Amino acid sequence: MDWLIIAAIKSGFVIVILLTGFAYGTLLERKLLGRLQVRYGPNRVGPFGLLQPVADGLKLLGKEDTAPAGADRVVFTLAPMISTACALSAFAVIPIGGTIDLLGRRIDLVVADVNIGILYVLGVTSLGIYGIVLAGWSSNNKYALLGGVRSSAQMLSYELALGMSLIGVLLIAGTLQLPKIVEAQATVPFILLQPLGFIVFLIAATAEVNRSPFDLPEAENELVAGYHVEYSGMKFALFQMAEYVNLIVVSSLATTLFLGGWYGPFGLLPGPHWFFLKVFLLICFFVWLRATTPRLRYDQLMRFGWKVLLPLALANVLLTAVGVLVLQG
Amino acid sequence: MDKPRGRTPPPPAEAGQTDEQLFRPVADTVLLGSTAQVRELMRDGLLERVLTRVTNWGRRSSLWPLMFGTACCFIEMACSAASRYDLARFGSEVMRASPRQADLMIVAGTVTKKMVPMIVRLYHQMPDPKYVIAMGACATSGGPFKEGYNVVSGVDEFIPVDVYVPGCPPKPEALLYGLMRLQAKIDGESFSAIRAPREDMEKRYPIPLLGPDLVDVRQIPEIQKLTAAPVVEAATAEEKRKPVRAAAPEKTLPPGRAVALLKKSDAKSGAKGDSAETVLARLRQVPGAEDDLDGVTFPAGRWLEVARVLRDELGFDYLSNLTSTDYPDRIEVVYHFYSTARTGEPLWVKVATSRSEATVPSLVPLWEGANWQEREVWDLMGVRFDGHPDLRRILLWEGFAGHPLRKDYQEPYYEEPAKPFGSRWPDGQHRRAEERNPFGRNVRYPHGFDPATFVEADPRIPVVDATELRAGIPDAEKMIVSFGPQHPSTHGVFRMVTTLMGETIARVDSVMGYLHRNHEKIAERNMWAQVMPFTDRLDYLCSMSSNLGYALAVEKLLGVQVPERAEYIRVIMAELTRLVNHMLAIGTLLNDLGAYFTPVLYAFEERELILDLFEMTAGSRMMCNYMRVGGVARDLPDGFVERAKALVEDRLPRWLAEMDRYLTRNEIVMTRTKDIGKLTAEQAINMSVTGPMLRASGVRYDVRRAEPYSIYDRFDFAVPVGQNGDAYDRYIVRLAEMGESIKILERALRDIPAGEVLAGQKRWQIRVPKGEAYARIEAPKGELGFYVVSDGGANPYRYHVRPPSFINLTALDAMSQGHKVADLIAIFGAVDINMGEVDR
């Protein structure tokens, strides 16, 4: 029974971290956007605006829960749950640190150390798209429908490039298990060995989490709010949560696969703080992107995915394979 | 605390509806389960106090406004999110475009009858708890447009308002203060206070209908009573007996005749070598033509034929303006033609038709640009156009009773034909207009109208047309999506009914008039000088330009010489306005392309600096009301020139270079705008497109050069043109024009002489001699024309604005077909419109 209790405790920790990350991710984004747009951002609610997410949450909790006439109520309610659940569970296999000794036990700083970690993450995040598609479909709203359709098309175009960009890492590390991949980077982070793979991964991941310049499913200027146009109150908050948690997951994945996870540079003490610092910087990068880039068009995005990203990812696989063969041989 | 908490079973349901059931706290149930449990808990008060504090704190600190604004005030609302004011500090920058996610509706701007059903619907779509701020004079009470036939006297007649922010428009500080007052109000709310359930709110604030006038369903019994009684009719009849001011036009043109008038001055500059005589000689050859008046008259039935001669043989390829004037015995449809190849004054053509059966041949077969202008004349003046493909009302709605620009049309708040009203001046007592109207608001219904049996006209646009049938688009594959009137990228309240095939656009049908605030009718009731502040509110981003255009038109009639210094000041103001406009045009275009507000907020930052100059000069930053007939209102304040120089010579060129560096070669900007929304030069001219859009299509035509006004002939500036006529070229042309404006400004600020700024004395009233004039300027958005007719009285007999935004939009459908949804937004953004000017 021990493993179950430990797993439960770990899950609890991760969920708390992710939800705090979500809440303060929104604040970070708003503050950073403010600075990037020559203004302050929230600073009135609590010291330095630190209570802003709390106020937002409280307010959303008390909002009326509306559903449009003609909506498929069951699916409409289910959709945000699917999105959030998938986003949260994707984090389960991501290691935030090595192994620590606690109360006489050796504890891995990962919820579930499965041997097909990468596949699991890819699978679960793909499932999350269902939330968006179903939300778009069940809302009985044309904007939402267009958003949902865009989302599925986008996923098809980018999932492949995303998967391919990781193969280089797998070839070098020789495992699908995420903690082992991190350990393989103890001396050299894979970003140095896989620069092309990292770039392809980052672009595909941006599309995967619907962030600007690939935020087509909710493209405010075209589709008002896209797939979640009809959602209010906590259901809307769940979608926001899914979006930010996905952002964290993707940043964590990039950290784990390319940036050396919990290892610090110059042999400095490794630990979760390095992991969190790297994730934080990546999130800032995504915010920066949002503040500075216009959005691509739907068909341009697809073309880019199929005609540029996928060939690049394939070339990367080829190069890596040859490199690995030569070095081993 | 003797009561056990939360254990009392809920009271048994009663048969009748008690207050308890009617007013159950909606929001609270989410928090703590059943209402009864909550009430039980609250009996001792402590829990309630705590909960009240906590929930109120959450609500006050997280007020997300609905991204929505009807008019000028919205610009100040947007400003309040920009760097100098930063609404985000209060946590309120999260402007949600979807009403489902908004907490606060800021009704920013004039609420028209056509718009109010949408506003009420949006209000109901917002989830509880929701708050409303009425921003500005219009939203509060109808403001300066109150007397208009399409304006509602305050949004609070239809939805409950929490905070009113006065001003026209209120400055962003005022809005921030309004927000803080709302927060204070929320602090005073009680957690257990009842909030009426949704059904009850929908009953209390029903969505009004668009009948012959706006129908408030709560007033149905009253309306039935009043429209059934003949009293109303009698009153109207009595009103009608009052003499409508009879105009005494100098030239009389019998109905059914058209006359072509050519100004002699034009002959000199004819590039094609056509003197006035040769043009008239050619027109005389039209069968039935006779020499008459100043020009040639011919039967109206031959008008289309004559127009073809004008366009194809005589080179008048550009139909600038199409409007109409109502005289006691006839209606004249007035056309102003120019040639894009020549400079000089226009060729006027007037076609007279009878008032009772007003019909004129349509020019749409020759000029696509006549399309919307003819619809407008039909809508407001009731002239039918034979051969028009789609003659529907354009600014008002189908089913509206009457054609408002007819001289015998009386608005519901009608008092007298023209100002100053005897009831107010010199020693009258003003009575509120609501008290004089039997319904207590700005409405009137025809005799016998029964709102109970009334069915609203089908608002749907006929979607299957010939081109679609020919293209073989099956109905089942089409999706009709309505963008607007509340949509983040419609730049106000515009509606694009789009037929989509997947994401590809098959057709765009534009619906407007949501901001039709009866500018022309109000101006014709006003005195000449009173019109000036209304021109501010045409294109509310460019009030100085509109001021200038109107002043020029009236000066033409008066023949005043404007003092030298005033001319320089006018040029400085007009060019500063162009800078302001193009900054925002580029900023919002980028917004439409999906850049998350950054470019537009940067533009707002620079705009503030120019607005500071306006404010120190005119006293108001947006609605300057600065120009006067014969000059400007007052001299420049001390320090203006220095500040302006610092801005123009240093800061703005740097900003411009920065924009150029970040945007012009930006990969995404280029892929999103190149080859998007193309217009060829021929198409552009045919559609009467003007301004940067025309020039982007490669036509080097700028009114400042083609028909120089003020002192523009003294300045050396280039007229930038594009090559492809796509959205990218429109951006490039605007960017280049800003550079040219800076050049003009540098020169004007250097050379400005000392001296008078107003010809003659300051007067409260001007008398304008009989006659008519058409003056046009190169406003930032295109050719802005003012057509004025004076009968020698204290008021304009006819006043018409040729709005560049409105006419440029004619091309929207042609530009968008075959593109994607996202492109539509980019194309629309690149047109650069202002709804105040489109709808007037």
Side-chain angles (χ1 to χ4, degrees), chain B residues 20 91 267 306 368 390 515 520 568 797:
Chain B
E20 295 249 322
V306 175
E368 189 53 37
D390 183 26
L515 188 53
E520 292 179 10
Y568 271 92
Y797 181 75

Side-chain angles (χ1 to χ4, degrees), chain A residues 56 142-143 150 228-229 291, chain B residues 62 98 101 480 482 503 598:
Chain A
D56 287 338
K142 290 169 187 169
Y143 293 127
R150 280 180 175 193
H228 60 60
V229 67
Chain B
S62 171
S98 165
Q101 293 143 20
I480 291 155
S482 177
E503 285 223 17
T598 310

Side-chain angles (χ1 to χ4, degrees), chain A residues 30-31 33 35-46 51-52 54-69 142-143 145-146 150 212-213 215 218 220-225 228-234 236 240 290-300, chain B residues 26-27 30-31 54 57-59 61-62 64 67 81 83 86 88-98 100-103 126-129 198 479-484 487-489 500 502-503 590-598 601-602 605 668-669 671-672 676 820 822-823 825:
Chain A
R30 286 166 74 175
K31 284 231 162 209
L33 272 178
R35 289 297 173 164
L36 289 165
Q37 295 169 347
V38 238
R39 49 190 186 85
Y40 285 108
N43 66 1
R44 291 292 170 106
V45 185
L51 294 182
Q52 188 66 51
V54 183
D56 287 338
L58 266 174
K59 178 207 70 180
L60 283 169
L61 213 59
K63 286 298 269 190
E64 182 188 359
D65 187 29
T66 58
K142 290 169 187 169
Y143 293 127
L145 183 64
L146 282 174
R150 280 180 175 193
S212 172
D215 53 343
E218 52 173 298
E220 181 171 289
N221 311 82
E222 300 145 32
L223 304 183
V224 184
H228 60 60
V229 67
E230 290 287 0
Y231 282 88
S232 69
M234 274 322 272
F236 167 66
Q240 291 290 300
R290 183 173 182 203
T292 45
T293 52
R295 183 182 304 121
L296 274 174
R297 205 173 60 207
Y298 172 60
D299 55 323
Q300 290 168 343
Chain B
V26 174
V30 183
L31 262 179
V54 173
W57 174 79
R59 284 170 189 175
S61 310
S62 171
W64 295 355
M67 185 141 169
S83 59
D86 197 16
R89 291 175 296 144
F90 300 88
S92 292
E93 90 280 28
V94 194
M95 293 203 189
R96 298 306 310 177
S98 165
R100 303 287 187 199
Q101 293 143 20
D103 313 296
M126 286 165 61
D128 262 329
R198 174 163 285 274
M479 176 155 82
I480 291 155
V481 181
S482 177
F483 291 89
H487 187 277
S489 58
L500 296 180
E503 285 223 17
L590 261 291
N591 235 22
D592 292 339
L593 293 180
Y596 194 76
F597 296 110
T598 310
L601 290 179
Y602 273 69
E605 199 195 357
I668 299 182
V669 171
T671 46
R672 283 296 309 276
I676 299 298
K820 299 276 185 284
D823 295 330
I825 309 298

